[in-house]
Amino acid sequence: MNTKTQKRRLQIIEDAIQVLAEEGYANASIGNIAKKGGISKGVVTYHFPNKMQLMKAVVEHSYGLAAPYMEKFMDGLDSAPATLRAYIESNLRFMFEHPKYVTAIIEVVSNLRTESGELYYKDEDESIYEPLIDIFKWGQEIEGSFREFSPLIMARTVRSVIDSLGPKIANHDISDMESTISEIVDTFDYATRKTIK
Amino acid sequence: MNTKTQKRRLQIIEDAIQVLAEEGYANASIGNIAKKGGISKGVVTYHFPNKMQLMKAVVEHSYGLAAPYMEKFMDGLDSAPATLRAYIESNLRFMFEHPKYVTAIIEVVSNLRTESGELYYKDEDESIYEPLIDIFKWGQEIEGSFREFSPLIMARTVRSVIDSLGPKIANHDISDMESTISEIVDTFDYATRKTIK
Amino acid sequence: MNTKTQKRRLQIIEDAIQVLAEEGYANASIGNIAKKGGISKGVVTYHFPNKMQLMKAVVEHSYGLAAPYMEKFMDGLDSAPATLRAYIESNLRFMFEHPKYVTAIIEVVSNLRTESGELYYKDEDESIYEPLIDIFKWGQEIEGSFREFSPLIMARTVRSVIDSLGPKIANHDISDMESTISEIVDTFDYATRKTIK
Amino acid sequence: MNTKTQKRRLQIIEDAIQVLAEEGYANASIGNIAKKGGISKGVVTYHFPNKMQLMKAVVEHSYGLAAPYMEKFMDGLDSAPATLRAYIESNLRFMFEHPKYVTAIIEVVSNLRTESGELYYKDEDESIYEPLIDIFKWGQEIEGSFREFSPLIMARTVRSVIDSLGPKIANHDISDMESTISEIVDTFDYATRKTIK
DNA sequence: TATGAATGAGTGTTCATTCAT
DNA sequence: TATGAATGAACACTCATTCAT
């Protein structure tokens, strides 16, 4: 695949993300996406032979953008609680700074279905929870800094708080970035720490 | 409006909820909803002159079912932390026992848009957070049992966790009800209590 | 199904037959068929939820028209050769008088394919050959008026000759009805009779 | 036109024949033909500036393959009935051994249309019947071995039997080559010979 | 109240063809 | 020669809505 093609593909993916974030999955038709990019519908179907492949490309591209962003915040931390705080903060910061990517992912993940009607992205794939589970096990079993709780359920809890913020930020329902971040970071710090009541 | 009409309306709303929960918003067409109920498309449009009114009725009906369910658990509690625990538990229990209503609400709330393309249900309406905010203020200002935090942000956090569980439960991604409930209840107990570190 | 619906269905089927006969299968799109009937595309898909069902209805309808036409010619014949002659003559006469139905059948039968790409109407179903096979067995085994030959292969031979005439008649490539009929009838009379060389 | 170009043209024609025989005219798109040959769509349109020219080349090529095959069987025969038998047998044998060429021809001939909607290959061109007409006239007027019948109508009858077998053979609806050939050869022998009843 | 016929806009997708490279 | 990006029209099909009955 040459540079020209890669550029076009990327442009179409970005247009799709824009439409998904602004107008929602139901309005993210091939025609609307093409219109957003000022190109013909045929160009889109040329580069993505069907809609599902475009939607999957949207998800992959957006995740690809988020990943390095998060690593940047998590390098070289020396305790489980500090790493959890960094994980949450970096995720939320990415959302505030790139809300459209997050919204696009959520639109696709919660609406893209297979021909048989089932959601294409089901929660079965628990790989998204693994970094959090690792942090929790570290704090519980090695450091002793976290209280006892189910790492999987806590991971799901953390991620649902993060994920649900995306659309609200994109819709400008939430604007106070710094206080939102620090409050949520503190909340999960209290929620997980071993404490003396 | 007589009894017969009310019955029909209710049947249509329940059919719509069923389709929304099983096949998602995109497949919740008037035709599919009518087919689910074994009635003609015309009956639906007779009782709900357009699709938006039906979708709004779905949300109202489902909220109406959840409300009394929750009050049952919250009556006569004498401390803020206990009331918070009861609020979360009753909400989650409703979800596990009636996941289709929760999924239907989420499908509609996250997809229903006005003609101009904006989400019809925006987070602007903060009335849904009021019960939680009241509990938090009670614990912070009167009892002194809660630590300092933003009641609104904490309310949003609690509700995200609750709301995000709906689809997962409906999809059978989460099955262990009792441990999920107790873990989440504990999590927010630790997250909100005034503690001595 | 009430009268109004039946009428519409029939009108659409007739329009489809007209388009198939005049413009061929490739041009027999839902849009062209609707245009032929001066109705909107939606009416067609309302009565025939997908194209295959319309095409199948075209075949059934056309066969239904041919059947009684042929019986009329074959009643009360008292010898196998005479019945064979009547069978061929009535079939050919139907073609000359209603070439569009025959052409429509051929267009559909030779072009309609399943999703997997196979012809929907395959020759596997040999029921169309049964009347001929019965006549041949009668003449061979009971009357002794026919020479020995494979009834199935002869039946296929007779039907190929009949079927291939349809498009030629419809295209006005063949115009001399009476001599064509009598020549073909004679041909298969000679081809099947027990003779003394 | 140099050798390399001729080779490419031939490869494309063979690929087109393959697709026509396997998937039918409707699926014989430029894209599918190119995919079959593992080449780009552009190569096809470079060698055949439009689809009609490719389809015509398919027909010419396939006829060209059949012709020598048939002559081989007909050389040096000394009577009209023997020549007729050889003509039919060689034609049928070609079909059983190369069904894809025959199917391809039939697909194109019965579907290729001009822009105005008329079949491109009409029966008007009676040159295909000439060899048969010559045989019949030879037997009727010179040898006296054939009975009286219309040479043109009989030629059409013979060819329709031959042509209709192509798709059936390609679809594996007919498998018993030798008996099919001998039965049909016999049938037209009886059908044409001067006999004493 | 209820039906279902009809409409017209919109969906994803396929395709022959053009053209710059 | 060959490529593949791009176009625009056409395709089957779905849908919310209207309306006569």
Side-chain angles (χ1 to χ4, degrees), chain B residues 162-181:
Chain B
I162 292 171
D163 293 339
S164 70
L165 279 177
K168 288 172 189 164
I169 294 167
N171 284 336
H172 307 292
D173 290 329
I174 293 178
S175 51
D176 186 351
M177 178 170 80
E178 294 304 333
S179 66
T180 300
I181 290 176

Side-chain angles (χ1 to χ4, degrees), chain A residues 93-153:
Chain A
R93 210 166 282 281
F94 175 77
M95 281 189 175
F96 274 101
E97 286 168 20
H98 306 286
K100 70 178 179 181
Y101 295 104
V102 182
T103 309
I105 289 178
I106 291 171
E107 287 291 323
V108 175
V109 165
S110 58
N111 282 293
L112 185 62
R113 287 169 185 265
T114 63
E115 285 184 26
S116 64
E118 292 172 335
L119 279 175
Y120 180 80
Y121 292 100
K122 305 189 73 169
D123 203 46
E124 283 164 357
D125 174 18
E126 297 187 342
S127 64
I128 194 183
Y129 302 129
E130 272 171 24
L132 280 166
I133 289 174
D134 288 346
I135 297 170
F136 294 144
K137 288 187 175 164
W138 173 20
Q140 286 177 330
E141 299 168 12
I142 298 168
E143 278 191 359
S145 52
F146 285 155
R147 66 175 177 90
E148 264 190 61
F149 53 80
S150 156
L152 175 59
I153 295 178

Side-chain angles (χ1 to χ4, degrees), chain C residues 14-72:
Chain C
E14 288 285 354
D15 291 335
I17 288 167
Q18 201 78 24
V19 176
L20 281 163
E22 287 170 5
E23 308 175 48
Y25 186 85
N27 295 109
S29 66
I30 303 280
N32 276 345
I33 291 165
K35 200 183 293 166
K36 170 72 68 180
I39 55 179
S40 83
K41 247 175 21 171
V43 188
V44 179
T45 56
Y46 174 77
H47 288 276
F48 298 92
N50 54 56
K51 191 176 179 178
M52 176 163 278
Q53 294 199 22
L54 172 56
M55 294 294 108
K56 281 157 69 177
V58 161
V59 172
E60 278 166 35
H61 176 71
S62 299
Y63 264 125
L65 285 179
Y69 206 88
M70 294 187 306
E71 287 160 11
K72 191 173 59 187

Side-chain angles (χ1 to χ4, degrees), chain C residues 20 25 52 54-56 58-59 103-113 119-121:
Chain C
L20 281 163
Y25 186 85
M52 176 163 278
L54 172 56
M55 294 294 108
K56 281 157 69 177
V58 161
V59 172
T103 310
I105 288 177
I106 292 172
E107 287 292 323
V108 176
V109 165
S110 59
N111 283 293
L112 185 63
R113 287 169 185 265
L119 279 176
Y120 180 79
Y121 291 99

Side-chain angles (χ1 to χ4, degrees), chain A:
Chain A
M1 205 182 314
N2 64 20
T3 307
K4 194 180 167 194
T5 296
Q6 280 180 315
K7 246 187 178 168
R8 245 303 188 252
R9 278 181 58 95
L10 206 61
Q11 182 218 327
I12 294 169
I13 289 172
E14 287 285 355
D15 291 335
I17 287 166
Q18 202 76 25
V19 176
L20 281 162
E22 287 171 3
E23 308 174 48
Y25 187 85
N27 295 110
S29 66
I30 304 279
N32 276 346
I33 292 166
K35 199 182 295 168
K36 170 71 67 180
I39 56 179
S40 81
K41 242 175 26 166
V43 188
V44 178
T45 58
Y46 175 78
H47 288 275
F48 298 92
N50 54 56
K51 191 176 177 178
M52 175 163 278
Q53 294 199 23
L54 172 55
M55 293 296 107
K56 281 157 69 177
V58 161
V59 172
E60 278 167 36
H61 176 72
S62 300
Y63 265 124
L65 285 180
Y69 205 90
M70 295 187 305
E71 287 159 13
K72 191 174 58 188
F73 279 83
M74 283 171 53
D75 274 356
L77 293 169
D78 52 5
S79 78
T83 307
L84 174 63
R85 296 179 69 98
Y87 177 93
I88 295 172
E89 177 176 352
S90 59
N91 267 273
L92 292 180
R93 210 166 282 281
F94 175 77
M95 281 189 175
F96 274 101
E97 286 168 20
H98 306 286
K100 70 178 179 181
Y101 295 104
V102 182
T103 309
I105 289 178
I106 291 171
E107 287 291 323
V108 175
V109 165
S110 58
N111 282 293
L112 185 62
R113 287 169 185 265
T114 63
E115 285 184 26
S116 64
E118 292 172 335
L119 279 175
Y120 180 80
Y121 292 100
K122 305 189 73 169
D123 203 46
E124 283 164 357
D125 174 18
E126 297 187 342
S127 64
I128 194 183
Y129 302 129
E130 272 171 24
L132 280 166
I133 289 174
D134 288 346
I135 297 170
F136 294 144
K137 288 187 175 164
W138 173 20
Q140 286 177 330
E141 299 168 12
I142 298 168
E143 278 191 359
S145 52
F146 285 155
R147 66 175 177 90
E148 264 190 61
F149 53 80
S150 156
L152 175 59
I153 295 178
M154 185 64 81
R156 271 206 265 250
T157 303
V158 170
R159 281 248 46 109
S160 45
V161 173
I162 292 170
D163 293 338
S164 69
L165 278 177
K168 289 172 189 161
I169 294 166
N171 284 335
H172 308 292
D173 290 329
I174 294 178
S175 50
D176 186 350
M177 177 169 80
E178 295 305 334
S179 66
T180 299
I181 290 176
S182 74
E183 289 271 346
I184 293 173
V185 164
D186 282 355
T187 290
F188 283 102
D189 194 65
Y190 282 102
T192 52
R193 290 263 202 170
K194 185 171 286 177
T195 56
I196 305 155
K197 291 197 190 182

Side-chain angles (χ1 to χ4, degrees), chain B residues 2 5 40 42-43 46-47:
Chain B
N2 65 22
T5 296
S40 80
V43 191
Y46 175 80
H47 288 276

